[in-house]
Amino acid sequence: MKLNGNIELKGRSFLKLLDCSPAEIAALLDLSARLKDEKKKGVAHRLCPGKNIALVFEKTSTRTRCSFEVAAADLGMTAVYLDPKSSQLGKKESIADTARVLGRIFDGIEYRGFGQERVEALAAYAGVPVWNGLTNESHPTQILADFLTIREHFGSLAGRKLVYLGDARYNMGNSLMVGCAKMGMRFTACAPEAYFPDGALVAQCRAIAAQTGAELAFETDPMAAVKDADVLYTDVWVSMGEPEEVWAQRIQDLRPYRVDEALMAQAGSQCRFMHCLPAFHDLQTQIGGDIHEKFGLDCMEVSDGVFEGPQSIVFDEAENRMHTIKAVMAATLV
């Protein structure tokens, strides 16, 4: 399939945004927008009839699984879900051996799990496209959804200011920084210095920014960071797979970086709130209730007023996971 800009991605894996050029990212967003429009109009786009894909999940998910399964169905494919107990990946069978088996059976493989090296190994041995549904270090399908959402609300990406508040050391902070650098945006990581992204990755992104016109900033003062922002973005303070013992320290360190009404007011009425979900904005979850009991908090990384408020676009963002994942699969398989 030829994408806008005469770009061809057939046979490619989608593992991290560092592997993609700005033109390739833009072309995937254009395809996402087209497929979304067709979906809304009821126009069928069975671009991959008869193909089969494997969804390998070492970490569970609502949005990622549903997005891949619905996108596969829309494209005319069959998806087989392998939950954490249904695969011998890395346990009784090496990643390389598993990849070579799955690659003989399936036309593409999605992986959601732990270290980036695991999805990279799958791609090295599978012989078919592999798509990263999340690793500890990278979450590229989420960033495509985020950028499609920003384009829909602001019309463009270049020059837009995105401020990420909270723990910027892992997949979301990393991937947003890379994506903003690639697309000529203004990215600010706002956190205690110990929670800034890895220095080597920052250096890579600065080199990219020098070519694209992007700006990177690192700030410890939330009120200074968010001024004139187009997007305030946050994520949970403790990532999936981390021990419960880290909650107390994270709450102590990151409580000043909660996105609340005062922070949104400082950013301005033009600003929108984004979150990759799930979000601890109230007490309607088991974890939220446990945290309230132990620490007395009614919310964590975002207040309920912001999450449910008129500047929040989190559910536009969540829907766009499906449209952008569909674009990635179609572009790499057709």
Side-chain angles (χ1 to χ4, degrees):
M1 173 188 292
K2 291 287 187 181
L3 306 185
N4 286 353
N6 204 34
I7 286 169
E8 173 69 69
L9 297 178
K10 184 177 181 180
R12 287 261 302 269
S13 289
F14 186 69
L15 306 180
K16 58 185 183 297
L17 290 182
L18 281 172
D19 298 334
C20 302
S21 70
E24 289 168 343
I25 294 170
L28 284 170
L29 293 175
D30 290 343
L31 178 59
S32 302
R34 190 193 97 196
L35 295 176
K36 180 176 181 177
D37 182 63
E38 291 178 0
K39 173 87 170 178
K40 298 295 184 183
K41 292 176 178 175
V43 177
H45 38 256
R46 295 173 61 83
L47 302 174
C48 308
K51 292 189 181 294
N52 302 285
I53 63 169
L55 308 179
V56 181
F57 278 64
E58 293 189 302
K59 290 183 179 181
T60 57
S61 170
T62 300
R63 280 151 300 281
T64 301
R65 178 180 177 181
C66 292
S67 294
F68 270 99
E69 290 193 352
V70 172
D74 283 354
L75 291 171
M77 298 192 291
T78 297
V80 175
Y81 175 69
L82 299 175
D83 67 24
K85 296 181 180 179
S86 299
S87 167
Q88 301 299 332
L89 185 70
K91 301 168 189 172
K92 292 183 179 179
E93 188 169 52
S94 70
I95 294 175
D97 290 355
T98 300
R100 286 178 285 188
V101 170
L102 295 181
R104 297 291 185 98
I105 299 171
F106 294 99
D107 300 290
I109 302 167
E110 180 272 350
Y111 172 84
R112 179 182 173 93
F114 297 96
Q116 181 73 17
E117 72 280 357
R118 297 175 76 79
V119 74
E120 299 276 353
L122 275 174
Y125 289 96
V128 297
V130 173
W131 311 296
N132 182 356
L134 174 142
T135 62
N136 293 341
E137 297 85 359
S138 186
H139 200 355
T141 59
Q142 178 66 54
I143 306 310
L144 287 184
D146 296 339
F147 284 3
L148 179 61
T149 307
I150 293 169
R151 278 200 351 180
E152 289 173 343
H153 283 268
F154 292 97
S156 62
L157 294 176
R160 297 294 171 189
K161 180 179 178 180
L162 185 149
V163 181
Y164 181 83
L165 298 109
D167 191 344
R169 298 172 296 176
Y170 300 120
N171 46 36
M172 285 310 304
N174 290 343
S175 298
L176 284 166
M177 179 172 65
V178 172
C180 288
K182 291 273 185 178
M183 304 311 291
M185 298 171 68
R186 295 183 291 154
F187 172 81
T188 298
C190 183
E193 288 188 14
Y195 291 83
F196 285 168
D198 175 72
L201 183 60
V202 171
Q204 283 184 281
C205 289
R206 288 198 188 281
I208 294 167
Q211 298 178 343
T212 64
E215 298 175 12
L216 305 181
F218 302 89
E219 177 62 69
T220 59
D221 180 354
M223 283 294 186
V226 306
K227 188 175 181 182
D228 299 323
D230 294 298
V231 175
L232 300 191
Y233 200 118
T234 192
D235 191 9
V236 295
W237 291 340
V238 175
S239 298
M240 188 182 302
E242 292 190 278
E244 291 185 9
E245 292 74 26
V246 305
W247 271 111
Q249 188 65 52
R250 295 288 171 81
I251 288 171
Q252 177 181 319
D253 293 344
L254 298 177
R255 170 62 188 84
Y257 299 89
R258 172 186 292 164
V259 181
D260 58 17
E261 288 83 344
L263 212 56
M264 290 301 300
Q266 172 74 353
S269 60
Q270 81 293 337
C271 189
R272 297 294 177 264
F273 172 74
M274 299 179 72
H275 192 304
C276 54
L277 304 182
F280 296 121
H281 60 98
D282 57 21
L283 302 180
Q284 303 304 309
T285 64
Q286 179 180 333
I287 292 176
D290 291 344
I291 294 298
H292 176 70
E293 187 174 318
K294 292 178 183 177
F295 301 101
L297 297 180
D298 293 331
C299 60
M300 283 179 272
E301 71 277 6
V302 58
S303 69
D304 193 56
V306 169
F307 186 88
E308 298 289 1
Q311 291 169 279
S312 175
I313 54 175
V314 297
F315 295 109
D316 293 347
E317 180 185 2
E319 176 193 341
N320 281 339
R321 289 295 306 285
M322 191 271 287
H323 303 298
T324 50
I325 281 169
K326 186 187 297 182
V328 168
M329 292 195 295
T332 56
L333 289 175
V334 179

